[in-house]
Amino acid sequence: MRALNGGAAALGKAARRARRLDADDPLAPFLDRFAPVPEGQVFLNGGSLGRLPAATPALLERVVRGDWGDRLAQARTQWLDLPQRIGDRMAETVLGARPGEVVVSDCTSVNLYKLTAAALDARPGRHTVVVDDDNFPTDRYVVAGVAAEHGRALRTVHTHPEDGLDLATLRAAVDEDVAVVVLSLVSHRSGALLDMAQVHEIAHAQGALVLWDLSHAVGAVELQLAATGADMAVGATYKHLMAGPGCPALLYVRRDLQSCTVQPVHGWYGHREQLAMRPEYDPDPTIRRFLTGTPPALSLVAAEPALDLLAEAGMAAVRAKSRALTGFLAELAEAMLVPCGLRPAGPADPERRGGHLTYWHPQAGKLVPALAEAELFVDYTHPGRVRLSPAPLSTRFADVVEAVRRFREVLTAFDPAAGVAADPYGRAL
Ligand SMILES: *Cc1c(COP(=O)(O)O)cnc(C)c1O
């Protein structure tokens, strides 16, 4: 009882702090630029599906009724270069890349397939592909598949599932036989953030390329692909980029690498003369060669409203708010949730993590649906982890306090002694 009362007092104090933080928040006005949250619900799952911008439904209505319904074939031609137009917008707003270096097409898995194969093509004579064991399953499956298909060896480095990849481990694994290193910049599980420039230095010193998966980084942390000399990247757009379910994924290739790398899916959208219907494939010299077929226009146009919001706010401010929100949440969790059985399962240093926090709990698999019952929406990640991603443009500090209040209530109803599962990652790891 005393612990609970103590919690109530601490929550009251946190609520007062949150009111001040919200009042001083320069990004607070962006909350009204999103579709309203249904009454009583709290979302801390921006890392799996970003919130709906208020402008998106009307834009889609206009495109469906006006362009598709009324203008038909005239509209069709305006959609031909949509993957490049939206790509240029992403390049400028969230990637720190140059025009002509990004397209938005296919899903992350397919783009990863295309670029892993293209990287092998660009580094003939090298026989090894480096991946890590913490990457998202699709990344490991796709890269292993491409390596097998091309008769290359897969070298898997161990990433600490909570602290992230140790760069000394990476350095030891990259030699002159490595064609490409495939890594996630922000771990989908722990939130650990790698230093992009340092990874480039390690790989480039051996002549290897780096292919980044930016799925949990783009829209969450500031990226400077051009300034850090990034080779290639892919990433999901429906998470922190809030482009909507089913929006295709981004694909980046540095300008000078484009003409010397060929991707393996030779479709008409990548042809030098797409509409000439030539009998042979001849890849376009530009980023277009990484396209394959007809873009899903409705899903692609839905990416723009959130890019408008991110451009208006600026990624520096978005990252600053994200750090403030996760810092506040980590502090409240330490005081109020850790004593109830939660254990931090990601880097403690804010410099070394992306836009989400991860905690381990012996009954996380039951906890996440119980939190949803309490109308607090978070993500489960395997094994036994709860992932909390407060979206900077649509989350108030007051929402963080409310989330912690509900989380604590749900946690205290769990019997910590019942059904305790051991963490397969343990403490020592
Ligand atoms: C979300 C995510 C994906 C998604 O892949 P799709 O093919 O777009 O479904 C891929 N990789 C990582 C690291 C992700 O977080």
Side-chain angles (χ1 to χ4, degrees):
M1 204 55 214
R2 255 186 70 195
L4 276 182
N5 287 341
L11 278 165
K13 204 170 144 207
R16 286 192 294 280
R17 258 178 80 198
R19 268 198 294 279
R20 278 197 305 278
L21 288 165
D22 283 322
D24 293 343
D25 173 16
L27 299 187
F30 281 93
L31 189 65
D32 294 334
R33 312 276 294 275
F34 289 86
V37 176
E39 186 66 29
Q41 303 192 352
V42 181
F43 290 92
L44 289 189
N45 56 356
S48 54
L49 182 64
R51 285 273 303 286
L52 170 65
T56 306
L59 172 67
L60 284 178
E61 171 87 14
R62 213 165 56 238
V63 172
V64 170
R65 291 197 187 281
D67 296 343
W68 182 9
D70 298 341
R71 299 181 57 238
L72 290 169
Q74 302 157 61
R76 196 176 146 265
T77 54
Q78 95 195 16
W79 291 326
L80 280 172
D81 68 347
L82 207 48
Q84 295 105 288
R85 272 196 282 137
I86 304 286
D88 281 346
R89 199 72 216 290
M90 283 184 189
E92 182 192 359
T93 307
V94 291
L95 294 168
R98 292 163 291 207
E101 290 187 320
V102 179
V103 283
V104 185
S105 69
D106 305 307
C107 61
T108 310
S109 309
V110 169
N111 285 342
L112 199 63
Y113 175 80
K114 294 189 293 189
L115 290 191
T116 307
L120 291 179
D121 182 56
R123 289 288 181 273
R126 290 175 175 241
H127 301 100
T128 305
V129 180
V130 170
V131 284
D132 76 312
D133 59 2
D134 181 62
N135 214 335
F136 195 73
T138 207
D139 298 59
R140 287 179 283 123
Y141 306 155
V142 166
V143 174
V146 177
E149 192 181 321
H150 291 252
R152 306 302 221 285
L154 195 65
R155 188 173 294 162
T156 306
V157 295
H158 176 59
T159 287
H160 190 289
E162 300 193 350
D163 298 339
L165 175 62
D166 178 359
L167 291 183
T169 307
L170 182 67
R171 198 181 298 277
V174 181
D175 57 29
E176 287 186 347
D177 194 46
V178 174
V180 59
V181 176
V182 185
L183 294 170
S184 278
L185 186 68
V186 172
S187 162
H188 72 102
R189 186 185 288 117
S190 67
L193 165 68
L194 280 168
D195 184 321
M196 188 178 263
Q198 281 183 18
V199 170
H200 291 162
E201 205 180 292
I202 291 168
H204 293 168
Q206 301 297 327
L209 295 168
V210 179
L211 167 50
W212 289 108
D213 189 329
L214 302 175
S215 292
H216 281 279
V218 66
V221 301
E222 281 181 275
L223 296 169
Q224 294 298 341
L225 298 188
T228 50
D231 303 310
M232 299 174 161
V234 298
T237 56
Y238 46 82
K239 298 171 181 174
H240 298 278
L241 278 191
M242 306 171 283
C247 184
L250 68 90
L251 179 156
Y252 156 91
V253 180
R254 201 180 60 231
R255 210 183 274 157
D256 61 283
L257 279 174
Q258 291 170 9
S259 60
C260 58
T261 50
V262 180
Q263 60 103 347
V265 194
H266 298 179
W268 69 316
Y269 263 70
H271 198 283
R272 191 186 293 269
E273 297 172 273
Q274 184 195 347
L275 301 174
M277 310 289 168
R278 302 262 180 243
E280 306 288 340
Y281 181 69
D282 179 14
D284 191 84
T286 73
I287 190 75
R288 275 194 59 241
R289 66 169 51 197
F290 298 96
L291 296 175
T292 299
T294 304
L298 301 180
S299 295
L300 264 171
V301 294
E304 286 238 74
L307 285 171
D308 291 341
L309 298 179
L310 290 165
E312 199 179 320
M315 274 312 297
V318 169
R319 171 67 168 156
K321 168 111 184 252
S322 166
R323 283 181 54 157
L325 284 168
T326 47
F328 188 51
L329 175 56
E331 194 187 318
L332 298 187
E334 190 63 38
M336 275 172 270
L337 305 180
V338 169
C340 302
L342 228 52
R343 180 175 65 75
D349 178 359
E351 291 286 333
R352 296 206 47 249
R353 64 184 183 224
H356 64 263
L357 294 176
T358 304
Y359 292 87
W360 177 79
H361 187 273
Q363 298 177 79
K366 291 185 188 157
L367 193 54
V368 171
L371 292 169
E373 285 280 300
E375 300 200 294
L376 168 59
F377 300 95
V378 304
D379 292 310
Y380 173 82
T381 64
H382 187 76
R385 275 138 174 88
V386 182
R387 188 175 69 198
L388 309 171
S389 355
L393 294 184
S394 57
T395 308
R396 296 169 303 179
F397 291 89
D399 298 324
V400 169
V401 177
E402 181 56 22
V404 170
R405 191 183 68 73
R406 292 185 197 184
F407 209 138
R408 185 175 163 90
E409 256 174 42
V410 171
L411 265 179
T412 48
F414 267 70
D415 178 359
V420 175
D423 182 0
Y425 287 155
R427 268 188 169 283
L429 308 159

Short mmCIF file of all heavy atoms in Angstrom, two decimals, residues 52 54-71 79 297-299 301-302 305:
data_model
loop_
_atom_site.label_atom_id
_atom_site.label_comp_id
_atom_site.label_asym_id
_atom_site.label_seq_id
_atom_site.Cartn_x
_atom_site.Cartn_y
_atom_site.Cartn_z
N LEU A 52 -1.82 8.91 -38.08
CA LEU A 52 -2.42 9.44 -39.31
C LEU A 52 -2.41 10.98 -39.29
O LEU A 52 -3.06 11.59 -38.45
CB LEU A 52 -3.87 8.93 -39.41
CG LEU A 52 -4.77 9.54 -40.48
CD1 LEU A 52 -4.27 9.21 -41.88
CD2 LEU A 52 -6.21 9.07 -40.30
N ALA A 54 -3.61 14.64 -40.18
CA ALA A 54 -4.98 15.10 -40.44
C ALA A 54 -5.21 15.38 -41.93
O ALA A 54 -6.33 15.26 -42.43
CB ALA A 54 -5.25 16.36 -39.62
N ALA A 55 -4.15 15.74 -42.66
CA ALA A 55 -4.32 16.11 -44.08
C ALA A 55 -4.44 14.90 -45.01
O ALA A 55 -4.83 15.05 -46.17
CB ALA A 55 -3.13 16.97 -44.51
N THR A 56 -4.09 13.71 -44.53
CA THR A 56 -4.01 12.56 -45.43
C THR A 56 -5.36 12.12 -46.02
O THR A 56 -5.45 11.90 -47.24
CB THR A 56 -3.32 11.37 -44.73
OG1 THR A 56 -2.06 11.82 -44.23
CG2 THR A 56 -3.09 10.20 -45.67
N PRO A 57 -6.44 11.98 -45.22
CA PRO A 57 -7.70 11.51 -45.82
C PRO A 57 -8.19 12.40 -46.96
O PRO A 57 -8.61 11.90 -48.01
CB PRO A 57 -8.68 11.51 -44.64
CG PRO A 57 -7.81 11.36 -43.43
CD PRO A 57 -6.55 12.11 -43.75
N ALA A 58 -8.12 13.74 -46.78
CA ALA A 58 -8.62 14.64 -47.83
C ALA A 58 -7.74 14.55 -49.08
O ALA A 58 -8.24 14.60 -50.21
CB ALA A 58 -8.65 16.08 -47.31
N LEU A 59 -6.43 14.39 -48.88
CA LEU A 59 -5.53 14.25 -50.02
C LEU A 59 -5.87 12.98 -50.81
O LEU A 59 -5.98 13.01 -52.04
CB LEU A 59 -4.08 14.19 -49.54
CG LEU A 59 -3.04 13.85 -50.61
CD1 LEU A 59 -2.94 14.97 -51.65
CD2 LEU A 59 -1.67 13.60 -50.00
N LEU A 60 -6.09 11.88 -50.10
CA LEU A 60 -6.41 10.63 -50.78
C LEU A 60 -7.76 10.73 -51.50
O LEU A 60 -7.92 10.25 -52.62
CB LEU A 60 -6.42 9.47 -49.79
CG LEU A 60 -5.03 8.99 -49.36
CD1 LEU A 60 -5.12 7.88 -48.34
CD2 LEU A 60 -4.22 8.52 -50.56
N GLU A 61 -8.70 11.38 -50.88
CA GLU A 61 -10.03 11.59 -51.48
C GLU A 61 -9.87 12.35 -52.81
O GLU A 61 -10.45 11.99 -53.84
CB GLU A 61 -10.88 12.39 -50.48
CG GLU A 61 -12.22 12.89 -51.01
CD GLU A 61 -13.32 11.85 -50.83
OE1 GLU A 61 -13.11 10.89 -50.08
OE2 GLU A 61 -14.39 12.02 -51.47
N ARG A 62 -9.01 13.38 -52.78
CA ARG A 62 -8.80 14.20 -53.98
C ARG A 62 -8.12 13.37 -55.07
O ARG A 62 -8.48 13.43 -56.24
CB ARG A 62 -7.91 15.39 -53.60
CG ARG A 62 -8.23 16.63 -54.37
CD ARG A 62 -7.63 17.89 -53.75
NE ARG A 62 -6.19 17.85 -53.54
CZ ARG A 62 -5.62 18.01 -52.36
NH1 ARG A 62 -6.36 18.21 -51.28
NH2 ARG A 62 -4.30 17.98 -52.24
N VAL A 63 -7.14 12.57 -54.68
CA VAL A 63 -6.41 11.77 -55.67
C VAL A 63 -7.33 10.69 -56.25
O VAL A 63 -7.37 10.47 -57.46
CB VAL A 63 -5.14 11.14 -55.05
CG1 VAL A 63 -4.49 10.17 -56.01
CG2 VAL A 63 -4.15 12.23 -54.66
N VAL A 64 -8.11 10.05 -55.38
CA VAL A 64 -8.99 8.97 -55.85
C VAL A 64 -10.10 9.54 -56.74
O VAL A 64 -10.29 9.11 -57.87
CB VAL A 64 -9.59 8.19 -54.65
CG1 VAL A 64 -10.68 7.23 -55.13
CG2 VAL A 64 -8.49 7.42 -53.92
N ARG A 65 -10.84 10.54 -56.22
CA ARG A 65 -11.99 11.04 -56.99
C ARG A 65 -11.56 11.94 -58.15
O ARG A 65 -12.06 11.82 -59.27
CB ARG A 65 -12.93 11.83 -56.08
CG ARG A 65 -13.63 10.94 -55.09
CD ARG A 65 -14.84 11.63 -54.48
NE ARG A 65 -15.38 10.80 -53.42
CZ ARG A 65 -16.15 9.73 -53.62
NH1 ARG A 65 -16.48 9.38 -54.84
NH2 ARG A 65 -16.57 9.01 -52.59
N GLY A 66 -10.63 12.85 -57.86
CA GLY A 66 -10.23 13.82 -58.87
C GLY A 66 -9.31 13.20 -59.92
O GLY A 66 -9.66 13.15 -61.11
N ASP A 67 -8.17 12.68 -59.48
CA ASP A 67 -7.17 12.21 -60.45
C ASP A 67 -7.57 10.88 -61.07
O ASP A 67 -7.58 10.73 -62.29
CB ASP A 67 -5.80 12.09 -59.78
CG ASP A 67 -5.29 13.45 -59.32
OD1 ASP A 67 -5.82 14.46 -59.81
OD2 ASP A 67 -4.37 13.49 -58.49
N TRP A 68 -7.89 9.93 -60.21
CA TRP A 68 -8.26 8.61 -60.75
C TRP A 68 -9.66 8.66 -61.39
O TRP A 68 -9.86 8.28 -62.55
CB TRP A 68 -8.23 7.57 -59.61
CG TRP A 68 -8.55 6.16 -60.02
CD1 TRP A 68 -8.70 5.68 -61.29
CD2 TRP A 68 -8.79 5.06 -59.13
NE1 TRP A 68 -9.00 4.34 -61.24
CE2 TRP A 68 -9.05 3.94 -59.93
CE3 TRP A 68 -8.78 4.92 -57.73
CZ2 TRP A 68 -9.33 2.68 -59.37
CZ3 TRP A 68 -9.05 3.67 -57.19
CH2 TRP A 68 -9.32 2.57 -58.01
N GLY A 69 -10.64 9.20 -60.65
CA GLY A 69 -12.03 9.20 -61.11
C GLY A 69 -12.27 10.09 -62.33
O GLY A 69 -12.88 9.67 -63.31
N ASP A 70 -11.77 11.30 -62.29
CA ASP A 70 -12.12 12.27 -63.34
C ASP A 70 -11.08 12.40 -64.44
O ASP A 70 -11.41 12.69 -65.57
CB ASP A 70 -12.34 13.67 -62.73
CG ASP A 70 -13.51 13.68 -61.74
OD1 ASP A 70 -14.34 12.75 -61.80
OD2 ASP A 70 -13.56 14.61 -60.91
N ARG A 71 -9.80 12.19 -64.10
CA ARG A 71 -8.76 12.51 -65.09
C ARG A 71 -8.14 11.27 -65.72
O ARG A 71 -7.45 11.35 -66.73
CB ARG A 71 -7.69 13.41 -64.46
CG ARG A 71 -8.30 14.73 -63.98
CD ARG A 71 -7.28 15.67 -63.37
NE ARG A 71 -6.20 15.95 -64.30
CZ ARG A 71 -4.92 15.71 -64.05
NH1 ARG A 71 -4.56 15.18 -62.90
NH2 ARG A 71 -4.00 15.97 -64.95
N TRP A 79 1.82 9.98 -62.48
CA TRP A 79 2.27 9.06 -61.44
C TRP A 79 3.55 8.31 -61.84
O TRP A 79 4.14 7.62 -61.03
CB TRP A 79 1.17 8.03 -61.11
CG TRP A 79 -0.01 8.67 -60.43
CD1 TRP A 79 0.04 9.71 -59.55
CD2 TRP A 79 -1.39 8.31 -60.56
NE1 TRP A 79 -1.24 10.03 -59.12
CE2 TRP A 79 -2.13 9.19 -59.72
CE3 TRP A 79 -2.08 7.35 -61.29
CZ2 TRP A 79 -3.52 9.12 -59.61
CZ3 TRP A 79 -3.46 7.28 -61.17
CH2 TRP A 79 -4.17 8.16 -60.35
N ALA A 297 0.43 4.06 -56.53
CA ALA A 297 0.32 5.52 -56.46
C ALA A 297 -0.44 5.99 -55.21
O ALA A 297 -0.04 6.97 -54.57
CB ALA A 297 -0.36 6.04 -57.72
N LEU A 298 -1.52 5.30 -54.85
CA LEU A 298 -2.32 5.78 -53.71
C LEU A 298 -1.51 5.71 -52.42
O LEU A 298 -1.60 6.60 -51.58
CB LEU A 298 -3.61 4.97 -53.58
CG LEU A 298 -4.53 5.02 -54.80
CD1 LEU A 298 -5.78 4.17 -54.56
CD2 LEU A 298 -4.91 6.46 -55.13
N SER A 299 -0.74 4.64 -52.26
CA SER A 299 0.08 4.51 -51.06
C SER A 299 1.22 5.52 -51.06
O SER A 299 1.62 6.02 -50.02
CB SER A 299 0.67 3.11 -50.97
OG SER A 299 -0.36 2.17 -50.82
N VAL A 301 1.33 8.60 -52.57
CA VAL A 301 0.95 10.00 -52.30
C VAL A 301 0.67 10.20 -50.81
O VAL A 301 0.88 11.29 -50.27
CB VAL A 301 -0.26 10.49 -53.14
CG1 VAL A 301 0.08 10.55 -54.61
CG2 VAL A 301 -1.49 9.67 -52.90
N ALA A 302 0.27 9.12 -50.12
CA ALA A 302 -0.02 9.24 -48.69
C ALA A 302 1.23 9.53 -47.86
O ALA A 302 1.13 9.87 -46.68
CB ALA A 302 -0.70 7.96 -48.18
N PRO A 305 1.92 14.06 -46.70
CA PRO A 305 1.52 14.91 -45.56
C PRO A 305 2.47 14.81 -44.37
O PRO A 305 2.80 15.83 -43.75
CB PRO A 305 0.12 14.39 -45.22
CG PRO A 305 -0.40 13.85 -46.52
CD PRO A 305 0.80 13.24 -47.19
#
